[in-house]
Amino acid sequence: MSTIPPAPAQFFAFGGDNARGYSTHGDVLVNKTADGVDLNVIWNEANQVMSAWNRKRTALAALISYPTIAVGDAIPQTIGGDHFEEASEYGEPQGIATAPDALIVGYNWRDWDLATRATWKFLRSATAEQVYDLVNRAMESDNRLITGTLLRRLFDPAPVLNEMGQTCYGLYTGTDGITPPSFAGQDFPASTSHYLVSGNTALDPGDLTDAINQVTSKGFGIDGASRLIVLCNPKEAEIISTFRAGQVTNSVESKYDFIPSNSSIPYLTSETVVGQIAPAEWSGLEVSGSYGPAWIVPSYFLPQGYIAVVATGGANSGVNPVAFRQHANSAYRGLRMIPGKDQRYPLQDSFFQRSFGTGVRYRGAACIVQVKASGAYEAPTWNWK
């Protein structure tokens, strides 16, 4: 970016005998911080940091989502429904139709912005660290906005409409008349829900097993293209770490042992671990251990009293359940820093802007469990942003 040098202060003469001029606050041009750092240098560096930030979304958000510019997608509702038939001498074989039974899933769209509101007087007196702090706070807010919005879409069953009138779904609810497609000879009732209630005031092994079975029975997380993870608050992760095969919790016998990952604190045991131990970290996130086929991924981004079993293909994989919709024009993607009204000194009243949308594409690729004694599932009232 080229830098326009500051113009000299202007003096305006008024009529009559008054030949003296006046300089107003608006005529004073600020181009350096109090410690001598050029504001345009800060602007350029901030834009470079922004570019790096756009390439590295939060690890948690990337594991449950994938980027797309589509307004919606047509998802086939019949998996593996085509069959060969025995050929006859004169007959024509049955043709394969192009996704005749598909569900249109939409992705919504919203624009967000945030302003620095830095006046020239602030910039004149501020140090470079104080000015950089404004940028850092904006990027941290963007981090929470994206991660929180994607997680809310996963945990909230309520559908919304996008600007094209398409429905933006959560996971299967069992109440919207949409039945999961058959898989591997299994048919599912229209009441199938991927939002479960534990039936107890404390998490037990049955809750994990039920959620895992809901996902794998729909064909997700059972091949090399994806992996099952359990997203939960560290409080729930601590409870899961106590589960042992054959032991009973809330009258439910555990089917698997919790096996600590390589990141666990060293301890002595006479037991022998058979099989692969979960890594200390995966895709930039801590892994506390494994329970059956799933790795336990604790995060304070997750609300207490809930767990989410998710089939993920890794960061930004196309098989991840939640779509992260971006603008078709690449110039409008990512976190953008827009200069203020004085283009020569863009940090004055500059704006941070982000536009994106969400929607669940694979409604069976995750399952949420709310830990409560009775009643219907309720989305968490967690301050996601």
Side-chain angles (χ1 to χ4, degrees):
M1 177 185 294
S2 61
T3 301
I4 301 176
Q10 301 295 315
F11 295 88
F12 298 94
F14 290 83
D17 295 331
N18 185 0
R20 296 189 303 169
Y22 295 87
S23 293
T24 66
H25 282 170
D27 298 322
V28 180
L29 301 176
V30 182
N31 64 349
K32 290 186 178 182
T33 61
D35 51 355
V37 179
D38 191 313
L39 295 181
N40 284 291
V41 172
I42 294 179
W43 172 263
N44 290 334
E45 291 185 4
N47 271 300
Q48 293 174 12
V49 172
M50 208 79 67
S51 297
W53 190 263
N54 289 331
R55 291 193 300 268
K56 185 179 179 182
R57 292 213 326 269
T58 64
L60 182 57
L63 272 188
I64 66 173
S65 67
Y66 68 100
T68 181
I69 61 173
V71 176
D73 284 311
I75 305 301
Q77 294 300 286
T78 302
I79 301 177
D82 298 302
H83 302 279
F84 275 79
E85 58 183 355
E86 185 177 354
S88 63
E89 186 173 357
Y90 301 106
E92 289 289 332
Q94 176 178 305
I96 298 176
T98 304
D101 181 20
L103 173 68
I104 303 298
V105 294
Y107 313 133
N108 68 353
W109 183 261
R110 298 184 72 178
D111 297 303
W112 305 84
D113 56 19
L114 182 67
T116 59
R117 298 283 187 259
T119 66
W120 68 265
K121 284 189 174 182
F122 168 80
L123 294 173
R124 178 183 64 183
S125 304
T127 64
E129 285 76 12
Q130 289 174 314
V131 179
Y132 280 124
D133 179 64
L134 295 175
V135 179
N136 291 335
R137 287 168 58 187
M139 290 192 294
E140 193 276 334
S141 297
D142 179 65
N143 181 311
R144 286 186 289 112
L145 172 66
I146 291 177
T147 304
T149 304
L150 289 168
L151 287 173
R152 183 189 294 109
R153 179 64 281 177
L154 191 67
F155 279 74
D156 191 347
V160 297
L161 295 178
N162 64 13
E163 74 274 20
M164 303 299 291
Q166 298 169 339
T167 303
C168 309
Y169 295 99
L171 305 174
Y172 288 119
T173 63
T175 59
D176 56 12
I178 298 176
T179 303
S182 301
F183 176 74
Q186 305 172 90
D187 294 322
F188 305 99
S191 59
T192 299
S193 175
H194 280 228
Y195 294 99
L196 309 180
V197 172
S198 67
N200 284 291
T201 56
L203 188 69
D204 61 53
D207 300 325
L208 256 69
T209 301
D210 290 344
I212 289 172
N213 288 341
Q214 284 286 67
V215 175
T216 56
S217 66
K218 310 302 186 303
F220 298 99
I222 59 175
D223 56 17
S226 61
R227 167 167 293 283
L228 289 176
I229 60 173
V230 178
L231 299 177
C232 60
N233 189 276
K235 178 181 177 181
E236 275 65 46
E238 185 176 351
I239 296 173
I240 294 172
S241 70
T242 65
F243 296 163
R244 297 293 182 271
Q247 294 185 4
V248 176
T249 304
N250 292 341
S251 301
V252 177
E253 182 177 326
S254 180
K255 184 178 179 181
Y256 305 106
D257 285 308
F258 170 83
I259 306 296
S261 71
N262 289 328
S263 66
S264 63
I265 298 174
Y267 61 97
L268 295 174
T269 178
S270 58
E271 299 174 338
T272 300
V273 176
V274 178
Q276 182 182 4
I277 296 177
E281 182 180 295
W282 187 63
S283 293
L285 291 171
E286 174 197 353
V287 178
S288 64
S290 61
Y291 183 80
W295 288 351
I296 313 302
V297 178
S299 171
Y300 284 106
F301 275 112
L302 281 303
Q304 293 185 15
Y306 294 81
I307 64 168
V309 174
V310 180
T312 174
N316 303 313
S317 170
V319 300
N320 292 347
V322 184
F324 179 73
R325 178 185 168 191
Q326 301 183 84
H327 202 280
N329 186 339
S330 60
Y332 293 95
R333 297 175 196 165
L335 179 62
R336 299 190 301 143
M337 192 172 181
I338 303 172
K341 49 194 173 186
D342 190 338
Q343 299 294 304
R344 295 167 298 179
Y345 304 100
L347 281 173
Q348 287 187 223
D349 298 315
S350 57
F351 290 83
F352 296 87
Q353 195 275 329
R354 168 77 78 167
S355 299
F356 67 98
T358 64
V360 172
R361 183 183 188 189
Y362 298 112
R363 302 186 70 190
C367 184
I368 313 297
V369 178
Q370 181 185 11
V371 181
K372 70 174 186 176
S374 61
Y377 175 88
E378 297 174 306
T381 56
W382 179 260
N383 185 15
W384 299 103
K385 295 184 292 182

